[in-house]
Amino acid sequence: MADMANTEQISNNKADLWKEKLEKLSKLRDQSKKDNRLDVYAENEKRKENPKLQIRQERKRKEAEELLAEAKAEEKGEDFIRIKAYSWSAEDVEKWEERQKEKESRVDKGFT
């Protein structure tokens, strides 16, 4: 009798362990579903966005910052072009001049 009661208790313990494990896995599955659904929604929203619009907004923001900096420089009585030129390195200037020379050489001089 004691063996039978002991066996039932062990089987009940195993059943309880399986039940707990099943509940954990079920919770994990539900959480994964929620996370996946959120990811799908985020991807869908990202797909709806127009990348050209973002580029356009970024360009406008940079232009606005430059105009603001120019206005501040004028307010202080400084030369904005000179201030802007300080941010350029000698290598940048040389590359720019080289590009301008190449561009000049490719220009069609007209009928000769």
Side-chain angles (χ1 to χ4, degrees), residues 13-109:
N13 285 342
K14 283 186 177 182
D16 290 339
L17 289 174
W18 278 104
K19 199 180 259 186
E20 287 176 21
K21 191 172 186 178
L22 185 62
E23 287 174 3
K24 286 180 184 178
L25 289 173
S26 179
K27 287 179 183 178
L28 184 63
R29 182 193 64 215
D30 292 341
Q31 185 63 38
S32 293
K33 280 184 181 180
K34 285 181 185 178
D35 292 343
N36 287 339
R37 189 173 297 122
L38 290 175
D39 287 343
V40 167
Y41 289 149
E43 273 185 40
N44 194 21
E45 289 300 314
K46 188 176 180 181
R47 201 174 302 145
K48 287 180 183 177
E49 293 176 2
N50 186 357
K52 290 182 181 179
L53 178 65
Q54 290 175 344
I55 293 169
R56 189 179 315 135
Q57 287 175 341
E58 181 67 23
R59 186 176 61 241
K60 284 183 180 181
R61 186 188 60 77
K62 285 182 182 180
E63 289 173 1
E65 286 177 354
E66 190 170 320
L67 288 173
L68 183 64
E70 187 175 355
K72 285 182 179 180
E74 282 183 20
E75 196 175 283
K76 292 179 182 178
E78 298 172 345
D79 185 16
F80 176 70
I81 296 173
R82 178 172 280 185
I83 293 171
K84 192 173 175 182
Y86 286 141
S87 66
W88 300 328
S89 68
E91 292 85 18
D92 292 339
V93 172
E94 288 173 2
K95 287 178 185 177
W96 174 257
E97 289 174 352
E98 187 66 32
R99 276 190 254 146
Q100 293 302 316
K101 285 179 186 177
E102 289 176 14
K103 191 175 179 181
E104 181 80 22
S105 68
R106 288 190 300 254
V107 171
D108 187 16
K109 305 289 187 202

